[in-house]
Amino acid sequence: ERVMTQSPATLSVSPGESATLSCRASQSIASNLAWYQQKPGQAPRLLIYDASTRATGIPARFSGSGSGTEFTLTISSLQSEDFAVYYCQQYNNWPPLTFGGGTKVEIK
Amino acid sequence: QVQLVESGGGVVQPGRSLRLSCAAPGFIFSDSAMHWVRQAPGKGLEWVAIISYDGSNKYYADSVKGRFTISRDNANKMLYLQMNSLRTEDTAVYYCARDRTQGHKWNLSFDYWGQGALVIVSS
């Protein structure tokens, strides 16, 4: 099973600043990684797939990078609606499909 | 407009059964693989099961294998999760999620999610 580790657990950022979230895989997953955003009481929303491709309707301030075992989600110029929990998910080796533990982006 | 609407959640005693349903209007349901993903209260996301576009292939997380069964009715655009021998650790919000299937080939990320159905297993 591929274990996904996200860091930091919590990130405090001021509106307008950028945020960098990390996701590490226990073994290589090539570029088979997705990022999701989840707000309280809501379902997750797909942001990025194949490590760097934005999903339909996702603003350009969200960008993904990385391959192998190290991945990054960058949110430039954070808006109020971006404060949420972010999860990475690998789909290279399965079953099972696995998620990271999440990073909460909170207002500083 | 893609919509996924779960139903069937509730409170159930350990060892009992429950069936979740997911209605999927608004897209060509029979073209997409489908998943169930769950989230225990205050915890992260856990993948539960996948079913191929035609129902011929199914895979499960080890934590539910042998107890849960995923199925679909393409004519009626419905996805199901039959949950037997429920345990307290199965308490979670259960989401149905559409696979980002392309050309009947599953992609294994989730491009649309339902609002979730809460299942509480408690005596």
Side-chain angles (χ1 to χ4, degrees):
Chain A
E1 174 176 327
R2 292 292 186 268
V3 176
M4 307 301 293
T5 303
Q6 290 187 243
S7 62
T10 304
L11 189 58
S12 298
V13 185
S14 299
E17 294 184 339
S18 65
T20 301
L21 288 65
S22 295
C23 176
R24 174 177 293 176
S26 58
Q27 296 181 62
S28 177
I29 58 169
S31 295
N32 295 310
L33 183 101
W35 289 94
Y36 302 87
Q37 176 194 66
Q38 187 178 34
K39 297 178 182 178
Q42 296 185 19
R45 176 175 71 145
L46 177 65
L47 299 176
I48 301 284
Y49 61 90
D50 294 346
S52 61
T53 303
R54 275 190 303 278
T56 302
I58 301 303
R61 64 180 182 273
F62 291 91
S63 63
S65 63
S67 66
T69 62
E70 301 285 341
F71 300 87
T72 300
L73 175 70
T74 301
I75 313 168
S76 61
S77 189
L78 270 149
Q79 308 295 302
S80 57
E81 62 265 30
D82 300 335
F83 293 95
V85 179
Y86 293 83
Y87 294 96
C88 61
Q89 177 237 333
Q90 72 83 22
Y91 46 95
N92 191 69
N93 293 83
W94 73 290
L97 300 169
T98 51
F99 293 87
T103 291
K104 181 180 181 181
V105 177
E106 64 176 24
I107 300 175
K108 187 174 182 180
Chain B
Q1 180 82 351
V2 175
Q3 260 192 298
L4 297 169
V5 182
E6 300 95 337
S7 60
V11 180
V12 61
Q13 293 180 325
R16 305 297 292 264
S17 299
L18 202 64
R19 188 176 85 155
L20 300 180
S21 301
C22 173
F27 67 100
I28 304 174
F29 181 69
S30 57
D31 279 353
S32 295
M34 296 293 297
H35 302 261
W36 288 99
V37 178
R38 68 184 181 183
Q39 186 170 36
K43 302 297 184 183
L45 300 166
E46 179 188 16
W47 173 78
V48 173
I50 182 176
I51 186 167
S52 59
Y53 71 98
D54 60 356
S56 62
N57 291 289
K58 306 172 187 181
Y59 294 91
Y60 299 91
D62 285 347
S63 58
V64 306
K65 199 176 297 181
R67 301 187 299 122
F68 289 13
T69 302
I70 189 171
S71 62
R72 64 191 298 159
D73 176 352
N74 282 349
N76 291 298
K77 297 190 167 188
M78 294 293 296
L79 176 72
Y80 302 102
L81 185 67
Q82 177 66 44
M83 303 184 292
N84 298 333
S85 303
L86 281 160
R87 306 167 180 169
T88 54
E89 56 263 36
D90 295 319
T91 294
V93 174
Y94 285 75
Y95 296 101
C96 69
R98 191 180 81 166
D99 186 88
R100 203 174 50 81
T101 302
Q102 293 176 309
H104 287 171
K105 186 177 187 302
W106 53 36
N107 223 282
L108 305 173
S109 56
F110 319 104
D111 60 1
Y112 288 93
W113 300 63
Q115 84 289 349
L118 176 60
V119 173
I120 298 173
V121 184
S122 174
S123 54

